[in-house]
Amino acid sequence: MAKKSIKNSIKTTTRKFDSQNGVDTEDKFFILSTNELRNMPATLLQVSATDYAIANQAVSVSSISSRNGKGSTVYWTDTFYNTKDSSGKIIRKVTAVDALGGFRASDQNETRPALAPAFKIDIADLLSSNAKIDNDGITATIVFPDMQYPQKKVSEELAKELEIWYQTSQPQSSTYYLGSRSNNRIWRSDEKDYEYIYKGKRYVRVLAESIGTVEMNKFSDGSECKSGEIYWFEVSPIKWIVANWATCALNALAKNTKNFTNDIILRSEEAIIGGIPFHTQSNNNDQLGNFWQNSYIRAFLTGINIREALRNDNGNKSLSASQNYDFSNGAQNAFSNIVFKEAVQVEDEKDKESNPFGLKVTQTSKNKEQQLAFYVENGFSVMLHGRSGIGKTRRVQEIDLDYVMVRLRNGILPEEIIGKTAYNDQTGQSSWIQPTWYKQLWDICKAEPERNHVLLIDELTNVREYEQSLVYDIVLERSINGKEGKLPDNCVIVATGNNPQESSAAYNMPEPLFRRFHAHLYYKPDVKSWLEWGGEPHKKYPNRPKVHPAVLSFIASKGVSALFSNYDNENPPEWAVDPRSWEQVSDILYASGGEVDFALIKNKIGESLATDFLSFVTNQQITIDSIIAGTYNRSKLPRTANEKYAMTISLRWANENQVTEVRKFIKQNLGEENLKIFDSIWIENNDERAILIAELSNEELSELE
């Protein structure tokens, strides 16, 4: 039997409120309360906003990374309260989650917080639906192919194509209700975004309105969202996470918990809706404006008439709304109506059980390292793009320690790349003399014929077209000049280079050369992935991490702005800093044996950053010894997910006598998900350590019982 849509399986959920005027409501879609969010792993509290939400007033704090590496946003909860100012005047507030994953007070009519909708479904309905489920160890991520919403901005090329098509063909459209666009602090309910179907796919055309500074208005590709500009967004399936993973039936370990339930609460992984205030009145004008029962958000998500709902005891009658928000009509395009599109249903609905080509599309994507490994293992050429110092060469080295490099430079002698021809005056014959790299490559590939080895063409875009032309045949024909210098069959070509937008030394690549590669991988500054790499054991010194813990903690605290200097060709920074710089700072720290000379650090990263760094790492940071002694400063506890992760990996060096206290510290201060990470990396491949962790975990369960 074909699996079904979950459209009719979403449960009407009783939302409970314990405030003075709080009365339970019944809603299909809702937003989570602060109590529900506190029960979730800390890494799930920080949420990014989709590009579509950013174009509709949601913020994206690019300097603070969320779980998926994108900038963190601010989003609404359904928790409200009243407070008083210094004069005794009542101020009504609603709680939102800030970019750091903490809670903050927000005005009812603020439009900057975005929406991360949630809903409930029974485990049986979930498993019989068309859902694609993936367990990532912290929660489960779930995708329903027919549950879609506008999310990612399309490429500039496709946007131009769509705009020309739109302007010339006057296509038919359907609408998305936009929420409420501000106009001199007055909200209009007639704003809509329009959806069009182009070449079988759904796209939404948006006149953007952004709020805040430039740093808060960046799309996922790093470009700025500018108010008044037209952008196009693709409609795609929403990715959901299980909000009650610790107690739900989808988690095999939850059966032993006292709150075990068959109900699965799903929340969108990203905040997907922007520009909708909790209530459209200011907190001084409407005493009921901070109540979920009367909220603008509730009406929009669930598709109800607020006054009608209250009259029918769905909420508190005594809190009858001063304004009526009516989304009960499907034409109003409330979220509950528009998220399912009958015209775009998955093929599962048509009872297609056969797969004529025998292909199965996985729902989990390989990360960049896994993609690179796939291409090398299968002999597919690939090019790595990214700023200098981001680790392109290092990634190749970690896949193939025996790689052979051809480093290009402007003015390089041709014989260094293609060899040279030598003439024998006596015989009148010529012979080809191999370049050094070619002989090295053949020696390595012959020694291990069963394994692919990398020929790394480094800095390919950092040389002029003439120098690039020296490797044309190598890339295009897998030989040096078409006749001579055939590459070994188990050789894989990998190239690296910068883009002109990221380096003043970069040149454009001719299109035929660009297209010859099987794939192009683009690397962007990513604090979380660098912390993960830097926290791994050093290959040469396995008793310490690749990057010194002091550096990891500093970068986790300061974010991408400290990891990378901003590229500015017209006004280059006095000291350019990148991940390679910090790896070298780490080398200095390790070589210094604990006594660090300020001048050595300043010579690498400049006086200002060196002062900031050394002040940070010498200012009562939490160490294993201070945890064991109980003398650590609680004000130094990490706040962000990256800071917590960095501390977790720095504690991996605890010994067997210290691990009990260290695990208690992590559980209490860094969270259960970081405790799982710690256990995994502390055990590594050590059976004795695995037994010890199992014993400690059993003791903790016994204490709970």
Side-chain angles (χ1 to χ4, degrees):
M1 292 292 292
K3 293 192 173 183
K4 62 182 181 180
S5 166
I6 54 124
K7 182 175 183 180
N8 297 320
S9 300
I10 295 176
K11 302 181 74 169
T12 298
T13 303
T14 300
R15 305 294 296 161
K16 294 184 176 295
F17 299 93
D18 55 8
S19 67
Q20 181 179 357
N21 293 312
V23 172
D24 297 348
T25 64
E26 293 184 346
D27 303 302
K28 286 203 168 185
F29 287 95
F30 49 89
I31 49 179
L32 299 176
S33 67
T34 53
N35 286 335
E36 289 170 309
L37 289 164
R38 285 191 182 98
N39 289 329
M40 294 173 64
T43 53
L44 302 184
L45 291 184
Q46 285 179 284
V47 168
S48 60
T50 62
D51 292 343
Y52 178 70
I54 291 169
N56 287 318
Q57 304 185 37
V59 299
S60 177
V61 184
S62 56
S63 61
I64 302 174
S65 295
S66 62
R67 180 175 183 244
N68 58 9
K70 295 166 60 174
S72 188
T73 193
V74 179
Y75 61 100
W76 288 111
T77 77
D78 69 9
T79 304
F80 48 84
Y81 63 95
N82 296 335
T83 186
K84 292 183 179 179
D85 62 15
S86 57
S87 65
K89 180 181 178 181
I90 294 178
I91 304 295
R92 296 173 175 85
K93 296 286 186 179
V94 185
T95 303
V97 179
D98 64 24
L100 292 172
F103 298 105
R104 56 161 261 195
S106 293
D107 292 335
Q108 311 153 14
N109 60 352
E110 187 177 355
T111 56
R112 190 167 68 167
L115 291 181
F119 66 94
K120 184 185 291 185
I121 184 172
D122 184 85
I123 181 70
D125 288 326
L126 174 64
L127 296 179
S128 63
S129 74
N130 55 19
K132 306 296 187 296
I133 304 173
D134 178 47
N135 177 358
D136 65 4
I138 296 174
T139 181
T141 55
I142 298 177
V143 173
F144 303 95
D146 57 335
M147 200 172 186
Q148 303 190 6
Y149 210 71
Q151 295 180 71
K152 188 173 182 179
K153 180 172 71 77
V154 305
S155 67
E156 291 186 11
E157 293 78 10
L158 179 55
K160 290 177 183 177
E161 182 180 334
L162 286 165
E163 190 64 22
I164 292 172
W165 169 77
Y166 167 79
Q167 297 290 350
T168 57
S169 63
Q170 297 183 332
Q172 296 293 313
S173 66
S174 57
T175 59
Y176 282 80
Y177 180 69
L178 193 59
S180 52
R181 277 244 167 116
S182 61
N183 180 12
N184 297 323
R185 305 296 289 176
I186 298 173
W187 280 269
R188 309 193 302 272
S189 61
D190 58 347
E191 294 284 353
K192 293 180 175 65
D193 287 336
Y194 293 89
E195 176 190 291
Y196 305 90
I197 296 179
Y198 178 68
K199 295 183 178 180
K201 291 187 176 181
R202 299 159 61 194
Y203 300 97
V204 175
R205 186 176 186 267
V206 178
L207 176 66
E209 181 172 356
S210 58
I211 291 179
T213 64
V214 170
E215 288 302 313
M216 291 185 175
N217 296 324
K218 289 188 176 179
F219 291 121
S220 58
D221 63 3
S223 63
E224 179 188 354
C225 175
K226 298 179 181 179
S227 291
E229 293 283 328
I230 296 293
Y231 298 98
W232 287 85
F233 302 85
E234 184 173 354
V235 180
S236 58
I238 303 167
K239 181 180 284 188
W240 303 87
I241 59 171
V242 178
N244 61 335
W245 177 251
T247 57
C248 76
L250 201 58
N251 179 0
L253 299 178
K255 294 183 179 179
N256 298 323
T257 62
K258 63 179 181 180
N259 295 321
F260 176 74
T261 177
N262 284 319
D263 286 332
I264 313 297
I265 298 177
L266 300 177
R267 190 209 73 195
S268 61
E269 183 179 52
E270 294 190 278
I272 60 175
I273 304 166
I276 299 186
F278 198 88
H279 193 268
T280 59
Q281 294 297 305
S282 74
N283 57 359
N284 295 323
N285 292 340
D286 192 338
Q287 63 178 332
L288 308 179
N290 61 346
F291 293 140
W292 169 254
Q293 289 94 329
N294 297 308
S295 72
Y296 199 102
I297 293 173
R298 181 190 174 205
F300 171 71
L301 287 182
T302 299
I304 61 174
N305 178 314
I306 283 293
R307 287 183 177 164
E308 189 66 29
L310 294 174
R311 276 197 294 269
N312 293 332
D313 292 326
N314 189 353
N316 190 333
K317 286 184 179 180
S318 66
L319 303 177
S320 51
S322 57
Q323 290 192 37
N324 188 40
Y325 307 131
D326 185 1
F327 291 89
S328 58
N329 183 345
Q332 292 277 4
N333 290 303
F335 180 78
S336 57
N337 298 317
I338 199 65
V339 71
F340 291 100
K341 194 83 169 180
E342 296 295 342
V344 187
Q345 290 293 315
V346 293
E347 291 190 345
D348 285 346
E349 302 264 338
K350 301 174 183 177
D351 203 19
K352 276 196 171 182
E353 296 188 326
S354 62
N355 183 352
F357 299 106
L359 296 175
K360 180 181 179 182
V361 179
T362 63
Q363 296 302 308
T364 56
S365 297
K366 298 179 186 296
N367 61 32
K368 291 287 195 336
E369 281 64 35
Q370 292 169 329
Q371 293 174 44
L372 177 57
F374 171 85
Y375 294 127
V376 171
E377 289 169 7
N378 290 279
F380 300 144
S381 60
V382 59
M383 182 164 180
L384 315 184
H385 301 258
R387 293 174 57 176
S388 295
I390 204 166
K392 303 184 293 294
T393 304
R394 182 251 299 164
R395 286 174 166 87
V396 173
Q397 185 179 42
E398 292 186 346
I399 288 177
D400 182 14
L401 281 171
D402 299 317
Y403 73 96
V404 174
M405 178 185 290
V406 174
R407 189 186 296 276
L408 298 178
R409 64 184 187 279
N410 286 322
I412 192 171
L413 296 175
E415 54 260 36
E416 296 181 54
I417 304 299
I418 62 175
K420 61 183 179 180
T421 302
Y423 291 91
N424 188 318
D425 293 334
Q426 295 179 347
T427 64
Q429 295 181 337
S430 63
S431 60
W432 176 61
I433 300 177
Q434 302 175 356
T436 303
W437 67 263
Y438 183 75
K439 183 178 185 306
Q440 292 174 344
L441 181 66
W442 266 101
D443 288 345
I444 290 170
C445 289
K446 277 184 176 180
E448 292 185 292
E450 74 287 348
R451 180 182 168 204
N452 287 342
H453 284 284
V454 172
L455 171 63
L456 177 60
I457 302 175
D458 200 32
E459 310 289 8
L460 178 55
T461 56
N462 287 20
V463 294
R464 296 166 302 207
E465 187 172 348
Y466 169 73
E467 282 77 12
Q468 290 185 30
S469 69
L470 295 174
V471 299
Y472 265 35
D473 282 336
I474 297 174
V475 177
L476 298 175
E477 306 295 338
R478 290 181 58 84
S479 68
I480 286 182
N481 61 16
K483 297 179 181 178
E484 296 171 311
K486 180 181 181 299
L487 298 186
D489 290 338
N490 59 326
C491 159
V492 183
I493 298 172
V494 177
T496 66
N498 308 129
N499 295 321
Q501 299 82 5
E502 299 172 328
S503 172
S504 59
Y507 297 83
N508 289 320
M509 186 190 306
E511 185 178 355
L513 184 58
F514 181 93
R515 291 165 62 178
R516 183 60 182 84
F517 290 95
H518 280 82
H520 292 264
L521 299 180
Y522 292 85
Y523 293 89
K524 295 182 178 181
D526 183 351
V527 171
K528 179 67 183 298
S529 63
W530 190 76
L531 292 176
E532 290 174 351
W533 172 81
E536 295 173 355
H538 198 292
K539 290 187 177 180
K540 188 175 180 181
Y541 308 102
N543 62 334
R544 72 188 195 194
K546 293 176 179 175
V547 177
H548 196 285
V551 173
L552 295 176
S553 296
F554 180 74
I555 296 301
S557 175
K558 300 300 181 180
V560 72
S561 60
L563 184 62
F564 263 105
S565 300
N566 288 328
Y567 169 70
D568 189 337
N569 188 32
E570 296 181 358
N571 299 292
E574 182 180 2
W575 291 90
V577 178
D578 57 34
R580 187 185 295 118
S581 305
W582 286 109
E583 291 170 36
Q584 292 166 343
V585 169
S586 172
D587 293 339
I588 293 171
L589 295 180
Y590 279 133
S592 298
E595 294 186 8
V596 184
D597 187 328
F598 174 78
L600 297 177
I601 306 300
K602 182 189 74 171
N603 294 341
K604 185 63 223 175
I605 59 177
E607 184 170 1
S608 176
L609 193 54
T611 301
D612 194 13
F613 168 66
L614 292 176
S615 173
F616 174 87
V617 300
T618 57
N619 187 17
Q620 295 180 323
Q621 297 302 312
I622 297 174
T623 64
I624 294 174
D625 289 339
S626 66
I627 291 172
I628 301 303
T631 58
Y632 61 87
N633 186 345
R634 292 195 63 81
S635 68
K636 298 298 180 182
L637 287 171
R639 297 174 301 154
T640 69
N642 281 341
E643 289 175 316
K644 291 178 179 179
Y645 180 81
M647 178 167 284
T648 298
I649 58 179
S650 74
L651 298 177
R652 71 182 297 169
W653 309 105
N655 61 37
E656 284 77 359
N657 296 325
Q658 297 167 327
V659 69
T660 301
E661 291 302 317
V662 167
R663 291 183 80 255
K664 288 180 181 178
F665 171 86
I666 294 173
K667 185 174 183 179
Q668 292 171 2
N669 299 291
L670 308 184
E672 291 282 355
E673 69 277 16
N674 279 311
L675 180 60
K676 292 177 182 177
I677 292 171
F678 172 83
D679 286 347
S680 175
I681 61 179
W682 190 78
I683 292 170
E684 204 168 6
N685 297 316
N686 189 313
D687 292 340
E688 293 181 358
R689 285 192 168 192
I691 293 171
L692 177 56
I693 291 298
E695 291 173 349
L696 293 175
S697 299
N698 289 334
E699 290 175 7
E700 292 167 3
L701 287 174
S702 299
E703 291 174 4
L704 290 174
E705 293 172 356

